[in-house]
Amino acid sequence: MVPLKPLAVGKSRLAVAVGASRPGLALAFAQDTVAGALACAAVADVVVVTDDSLAGSELARLGARIVADAPGAGLNAALAHGARAARAGRPGCAVAAMNADLPALRPPELLRVLETASVFPRAFLADAAGIGTTLLSAAPDVELAPSFGGPSRARHSASGAVEMTLAGVDSVRRDVDTAADLRTALALGVGRHTARYSARMQATAYTYDSQTRSGSVLLDDGTPVPFEAPAFEAGGLRLLRPGQRVRIETDGEGAGLRITLITLQTF
């Protein structure tokens, strides 16, 4: 199961780094997480627990089964509900709960984790920081008993779940909550949805006129795009030098692409 908050409120700690791009980036993370899970040989079904209609539609298009967050009582209640839904469709199956923000997820690494987990009644994988949890599994007919959120590594261990200490599964441990996490995930190599979305958020300053406070940037594909003074002022900048890496927010597509904010890149 993959739980997903409404996009409008998810990934709040990324707001400073990515601004108004946060909901779109949260969706891209979830798309790459679900796509990676569905491509894993050990995964028969991916259940996404969410009340977000856009996310539900996009993730269903990838092949996920969407379940409404009927309990509406937080992350762990949603996961327990998802586990029941998964087993209603596949009685007696093993289940695993996984974060929705694993954009670098690699199917072979997930396969290693799930194969290791399969020999234990309950098992979990700590996140890259060693504080939280990115995956919790339960064998057939064993209750999942999730306790995600904050220092969940300690809680899952105290609950009797076995911690898996595997090397070489960085993509399954690399969740993204901060700009530093995003930089690390991008360095690992993210899936196509996050790669495409993050590319739209980055550019290189090309020209800048301090009198008009306008100029242009080069997108990473080399396309020049102009920006006007309101976009510069929205980013809180005082000066811009050609060659600086910048984060941009845009509106429109193709020839109608318009920069609405430009600021220095923070990821």
Side-chain angles (χ1 to χ4, degrees):
M1 293 85 58
V2 175
L4 184 63
K5 290 181 180 179
L7 298 177
V9 299
K11 298 288 100 188
S12 58
R13 290 169 61 190
L14 274 174
V16 172
V18 304
S21 299
R22 176 178 52 80
L25 199 57
L27 175 57
F29 291 168
Q31 288 172 304
D32 285 329
T33 300
V34 167
L38 285 168
C40 176
V43 175
D45 191 15
V46 174
V47 173
V48 175
V49 184
T50 187
D51 282 336
D52 191 288
S53 58
L54 172 61
S57 175
E58 293 298 322
L59 297 174
R61 188 173 290 117
L62 293 176
R65 180 154 62 97
I66 309 303
V67 174
D69 183 7
L75 174 60
N76 292 303
L79 286 171
H81 175 62
R84 290 190 294 270
R87 285 173 166 165
R90 296 178 180 273
C93 70
V95 294
M98 190 168 65
N99 291 5
D101 58 349
L102 302 173
L105 185 65
R106 290 172 170 76
E109 293 184 13
L110 178 59
L111 177 61
R112 283 191 60 215
V113 172
L114 293 176
E115 286 179 339
T116 301
S118 68
V119 303
F120 303 109
R122 291 172 65 243
F124 72 95
L125 187 72
D127 63 13
I131 297 171
T133 304
T134 56
L135 184 143
L136 173 70
S137 68
D141 302 317
V142 175
E143 184 181 357
L144 184 65
S147 189
F148 283 80
S152 61
R153 177 187 186 183
R155 291 196 303 273
H156 283 136
S157 181
S159 75
V162 174
E163 180 172 0
M164 295 176 282
T165 54
L166 297 172
V169 293
D170 292 352
S171 76
V172 194
R173 300 183 66 205
R174 180 68 281 162
D175 55 347
V176 177
D177 290 314
T178 67
D181 295 340
L182 180 54
R183 284 193 295 271
T184 303
L186 290 169
L188 278 175
V190 294
R192 65 184 181 91
H193 298 92
T194 304
R196 183 170 62 241
Y197 197 88
S198 62
R200 292 171 49 190
M201 298 164 52
Q202 303 173 76
T204 301
Y206 186 45
T207 64
Y208 175 66
D209 185 328
S210 60
Q211 297 299 313
T212 63
R213 300 168 74 82
S214 62
S216 64
V217 302
L218 289 178
L219 302 183
D220 285 355
D221 65 2
T223 303
V225 181
F227 64 86
E228 301 300 330
F232 182 84
E233 291 160 1
L237 296 178
R238 299 177 63 184
L239 183 65
L240 190 62
R241 297 183 180 88
Q244 285 183 304
R245 290 292 287 171
V246 294
R247 177 176 69 81
I248 58 174
E249 294 178 10
T250 61
D251 187 29
E253 298 285 345
L257 185 68
R258 182 175 65 90
I259 295 175
T260 58
L261 178 147
I262 179 169
T263 191
L264 296 183
Q265 184 173 311
T266 54
F267 62 89

